[in-house]
Amino acid sequence: MDKSDLSRIGWFRQFKKEIRGSAEYLIVGIDIAKEKHHGFFGTANGKTLLKRLIFDNSREGFEKLEVQVAALQVRYGLSRVVYGMEPTANYHKPLGEYLIGKGHEVVMVGGEAVSKNRGTLDNRWDKHDTKDAANVADLVSQGKILFYESVNGGVRELRVLLALKRRLKRQEQAYAVRIRNGLLAQYFPEMDGDYEQGKADCLGVVKWCLAPSRIAEMGFEEFMGWVTSRRLVRSQENRLRGIWEKAPGSIGCEAGEAVAFEAGTSVDQLRQTREVLKVTAEKIEAICQRFPEYESLRSIPGFGPDVSSKVLGAIGDPFRFNAHRQVLKLAGLDLGADRSGKDSQKATPRISKKGKADLRYALFQAAHIASTRNTAWMAYHTRQLQGREKEKGIYYKRMVKLAAKLLVIAWTLMKNKEVFDPSYLNQK
């Protein structure tokens, strides 16, 4: 962590303690939009100084905001200023980085807090830009804020590529489902049992010979020449022979030129997406290698390149967290329960699921792999299950607990730049 980040985190923690009722802060609440932002200016004790300022999402607009802030500070004798905003897509990032670059203090407010606090301003649930900006300022004055993390360098590049990878995986799945459930199910349903979407020979059949009537007119050698251009092993040849033998009796719909074009295009897009995914994974690995913490993460059982890169990208600087509870909240693995009323003793804690879903899923998979393939983790998992084997849902609960433990261990190793030691499993 560099000195600027360290000072910002220190300021943020102190600000949350002292903001309520403070007489020295000018609070600027900003409702973020794509083209124009709305600003509200007030104090921590609830006094409104300027109800609305509309400024463009441009350098001129940002400078206009700074001029207005300086004028209000002089007019009302306020020595300090803090800007609050609700993260909205990526529209808030240029303004946030501009203000931080100018040395201003910037905080965020959570979307759920904004939604629940809106009605407390005037006991009405109407929504408009001016009220939303005032709502943000009100939350800041109460200290109900989040730290605005401004990352640069390798962490930013890693997060960009991880987001790209998520989008590419969704595209890959969409193309694969379309081929199997949209094309094969309609035009060659008998092939479904032999279809393996990752196999080049199966994709070759879809691209070149989706129509069973066309396959039925070919000999097997001609069919092989169409769907593949390389030498096949016995299992692949047997699979293609089975497809060829089923074609004459297929009940699939007639596939014309339009269907053949769609099939070929879908296969090409699927293959292209997989190639881009492969290159993206290589770039992610190259960036991760720059961080000494990456080797610490790779030493944890169940942490392969994919899980390690996601944990590294999510945590970023491990020193921005004070306690392991904050790290668990990052992934939505923190526990909570409704304990109000007579049945409070029966309340079952559940994970909040308010954090990063992609990270939470990766950690769950890592916990499953570690508890089934690593001796130390298998022994630990067995000890935790003893006496509770017949409890309903216990396996899922223990996997979630293991995922949370893995995340805490990963955070600790990143801070200390150490490798995993199985003795950690015996520590309470």
Side-chain angles (χ1 to χ4, degrees), residues 154-378:
V155 175
R156 167 173 288 183
E157 293 181 1
L158 178 59
R159 290 179 178 176
V160 168
L161 291 178
L162 288 172
L164 173 62
K165 184 179 179 181
R166 286 195 297 271
R167 294 194 298 270
L168 291 172
K169 291 294 288 186
R170 287 196 292 267
Q171 292 178 12
E172 179 193 24
Q173 185 64 19
Y175 291 136
V177 170
R178 174 57 189 161
I179 290 173
R180 188 162 193 174
N181 296 344
L183 296 175
L184 287 181
Q186 185 175 358
Y187 300 105
F188 198 172
E190 293 82 4
M191 183 182 165
D192 187 76
D194 300 305
Y195 177 75
E196 295 184 36
Q197 63 184 22
K199 303 297 183 180
D201 50 342
C202 292
L203 293 177
V205 174
V206 175
K207 180 175 182 178
W208 301 109
C209 302
L210 178 61
S213 57
R214 183 183 179 190
I215 300 176
E217 297 173 355
M218 302 179 185
F220 181 63
E221 295 298 329
E222 182 183 0
F223 171 66
M224 288 271 289
W226 270 102
V227 301
T228 182
S229 59
R230 58 190 180 85
R231 186 180 182 87
L232 302 179
V233 298
R234 180 62 61 87
S235 60
Q236 294 172 324
E237 184 175 338
N238 291 339
R239 180 167 56 245
L240 289 178
R241 184 175 293 277
I243 294 172
W244 176 74
E245 291 174 349
K246 293 174 183 177
S250 174
I251 58 171
C253 301
E254 185 62 31
E257 293 183 4
V259 175
F261 174 76
E262 181 187 0
T265 302
S266 298
V267 171
D268 289 340
Q269 290 175 327
L270 177 60
R271 286 173 171 169
Q272 182 180 8
T273 302
R274 286 175 172 167
E275 285 297 321
V276 178
L277 264 172
K278 182 179 179 182
V279 176
T280 303
E282 293 173 353
K283 290 185 176 294
I284 290 175
E285 177 71 15
I287 292 176
C288 289
Q289 292 291 345
R290 304 178 193 172
F291 295 89
E293 298 89 346
Y294 185 61
E295 291 303 316
S296 300
L297 294 176
R298 288 300 307 273
S299 68
I300 304 174
F303 274 51
D306 182 68
V307 178
S308 299
S309 62
K310 289 177 179 177
V311 172
L312 181 61
I315 293 179
D317 191 336
F319 293 98
R320 67 189 179 100
F321 299 100
N322 270 346
H324 72 278
R325 295 181 183 86
Q326 297 173 343
V327 184
L328 294 179
K329 286 182 179 180
L330 177 70
L333 290 171
D334 53 312
L335 296 177
D338 185 1
R339 302 184 184 278
S340 177
K342 297 180 180 179
D343 297 329
S344 61
Q345 299 299 324
K346 300 179 182 179
T348 302
R350 300 178 183 276
I351 59 174
S352 67
K353 296 185 180 180
K354 296 294 185 181
K356 299 179 181 294
D358 191 52
L359 174 62
R360 189 165 60 250
Y361 177 79
L363 289 168
F364 187 90
Q365 299 301 316
H368 174 73
I369 293 173
S371 63
T372 55
R373 301 184 184 180
N374 182 268
T375 305
W377 278 98
M378 289 173 64

Side-chain angles (χ1 to χ4, degrees), residues 1-11 13 100-101 147-156 291 293 316-320 417:
M1 178 187 295
D2 57 39
K3 293 183 179 179
S4 61
D5 289 337
L6 185 61
S7 62
R8 287 188 63 237
I9 290 178
W11 169 87
R13 292 167 180 163
I100 292 175
F147 179 70
Y148 190 104
E149 185 188 13
S150 178
V151 295
N152 295 296
V155 175
R156 167 173 288 183
F291 295 89
E293 298 89 346
D317 191 336
F319 293 98
R320 67 189 179 100
K417 293 183 174 60

